[in-house]
């Protein structure tokens, strides 16, 4: 049995993770921690799952890896400098492995994979993410990661910037620029988590869309991460693509 602790256990995702772990035959939920609780309760765990907040996740993660616990992190906010910081803790001797995924939904991972493949073939590409209005961060971690992957694929293929004749705009009207890719964030009651990658070429457009209809949809990916994190070849793994052989 894998002993699992959950950080952010009373939150929307954390509560769903607790249910999923309790329902898994090969896992035991040994600790649930939320805002204001001491982290010590997690010491009985082998793997800690974090779905908290971008402002607190780095402190949580440092505590976990320095206590030799493996961490599966769904909390967003991981830019390249944060990832370097995690690597520096591990280089300094922190024992825990870390798996950070901006999205554990299998369909969402495939959306990012297909977007990266398609990006060099179209002169225009933009990302639109749509979420519930209680979300703290914009753009979403998934949209940020998608734009990074698209930007890198286009740079590698020598594709220039998407054409755009805008010379006058209200601030924000053209979205955020992430590695040369425009990213737009919608917040709307009734939504959970959705994203479109819009690609345009000569006389054709190609749209890749993913919709998460509930938070249970993320659980197969989270449980896969819990099962595999201890044996991953790299101490820090970003995304679950490699776990799906993508
Ligand atoms: N990777 C993925 O597949 C997915 C990632 N996410 C990401 O997960 C994160 C959480 O989302 P969601 O569950 O909707 O958010 P919620 O606000 O519903 O849950 C976060 C929980 O963490 C608690 N919390 C805050 N600070 C701490 C702390 N220091 N220690 C322990 N618990 C703390 C919050 O308490 P309080 O409310 O009192 O502050 C809350 O209960 C976000 O970054 C979101 O983008 C979401 C869905 C899927
Ligand atoms: O906050 C959410 O809800 C979600 N957060 C993640 C993100 O920012 O990409 C994953 C998913 O989109 C749901």
């Amino acid at each position: 049995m894998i002993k699992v602790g959950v950080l952010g256990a009373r939150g929307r995702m954390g509560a769903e993770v607790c249910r999923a772990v309790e329902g898994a035959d090969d896992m035991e939920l040994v600790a649930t921690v939320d805002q204001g609780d001491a982290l010590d309760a997690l010491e009985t765990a082998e793997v800690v799952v974090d779905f908290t907040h971008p402002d607190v996740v780095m402190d949580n993660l440092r505590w976990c890896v320095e206590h030799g616990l493996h961490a599966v992190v769904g909390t967003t906010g991981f830019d390249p400098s944060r990832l370097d910081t995690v690597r520096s803790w591990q280089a300094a001797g922190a024992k825990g492995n870390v798996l950070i995924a901006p999205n554990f939904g299998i369909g969402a991972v495939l959306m990012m994979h297909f977007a990266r493949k398609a990006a060099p073939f179209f002169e225009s590409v933009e990302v639109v993410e749509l979420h519930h209005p209680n979300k703290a961060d914009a753009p979403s971690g998934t949209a940020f990661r998608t734009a990074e992957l698209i930007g890198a694929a286009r740079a590698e293929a020598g594709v220039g910037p998407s054409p755009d004749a805008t010379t006058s705009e209200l601030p924000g009207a053209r979205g955020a620029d992430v590695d040369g890719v425009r990213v737009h964030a919608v917040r709307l009651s009734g939504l959970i988590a959705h994203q479109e990658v819009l690609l345009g070429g000569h006389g054709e457009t190609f749209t890749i869309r993913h919709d998460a209809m509930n938070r249970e949809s993320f659980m197969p990916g989270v449980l896969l991460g819990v099962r595999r994190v201890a044996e991953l070849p790299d101490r820090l793994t970003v995304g679950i693509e490699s776990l799906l052989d993508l």
Side-chain angles (χ1 to χ4, degrees):
M1 297 285 264
I2 308 171
K3 292 183 180 7
V4 183
V6 177
L7 265 163
R10 289 196 291 273
R12 287 176 288 267
M13 283 297 290
E16 197 68 56
V17 173
C18 291
R19 278 190 286 278
V21 168
E22 284 178 317
D25 293 341
D26 56 342
M27 294 179 200
E28 183 187 358
L29 183 64
V30 296
T32 58
V33 171
D34 204 273
Q35 173 95 278
D37 299 337
L39 297 179
D40 302 3
L42 297 167
E43 280 176 15
T44 54
E46 294 160 83
V47 178
V48 173
V49 180
D50 185 303
F51 281 94
T52 55
H53 190 283
D55 292 348
V56 302
V57 65
M58 288 299 277
D59 287 343
N60 289 340
L61 188 48
R62 182 169 198 166
W63 187 93
C64 288
V65 293
E66 289 186 348
H67 282 76
L69 308 177
H70 303 302
V72 173
V73 180
T75 307
T76 47
F78 282 88
D79 58 14
S81 112
R82 281 190 170 197
L83 296 175
D84 281 344
T85 302
V86 176
R87 285 187 195 99
S88 74
W89 300 334
Q90 292 176 321
K95 294 270 184 288
N97 283 356
V98 177
L99 169 63
I100 298 171
N103 203 310
F104 283 96
I106 306 299
V109 174
L110 289 169
M111 167 188 61
M112 288 188 265
H113 181 73
F114 296 143
R116 181 165 63 100
K117 289 271 181 209
F121 294 98
F122 294 84
E123 68 174 15
S124 290
V125 57
E126 304 212 0
V127 176
V128 184
E129 55 96 331
L130 310 90
H131 280 82
H132 60 92
N134 296 314
K135 185 165 176 54
D137 54 320
S140 71
T142 307
F144 193 89
R145 178 76 180 142
T146 307
E148 283 182 333
L149 293 170
I150 290 171
R154 286 166 74 87
E156 194 181 330
V159 179
S162 296
D164 181 0
T166 308
T167 52
S168 149
E169 66 173 301
L170 284 178
R174 292 289 293 116
D177 182 327
V178 179
D179 292 353
V181 180
R182 291 283 164 181
V183 180
H184 310 267
V186 175
R187 296 291 174 264
L188 201 71
S189 293
L191 296 181
I192 300 281
H194 317 261
Q195 181 166 297
E196 285 191 354
V197 180
L198 308 168
L199 300 124
H202 296 283
E204 61 174 348
T205 66
F206 178 39
T207 302
I208 307 169
R209 180 173 174 117
H210 176 259
D211 296 278
M213 306 304 197
N214 55 42
R215 293 183 176 84
E216 221 182 314
S217 63
F218 300 106
M219 295 307 119
V222 172
L223 296 186
L224 177 66
V226 169
R227 289 186 180 108
R228 300 276 297 279
V229 64
E231 284 149 26
L232 288 173
D234 298 318
R235 303 286 317 283
L236 169 62
T237 303
V238 179
I240 60 167
E241 288 84 344
S242 62
L243 284 68
L244 300 174
D245 292 330
L246 286 173

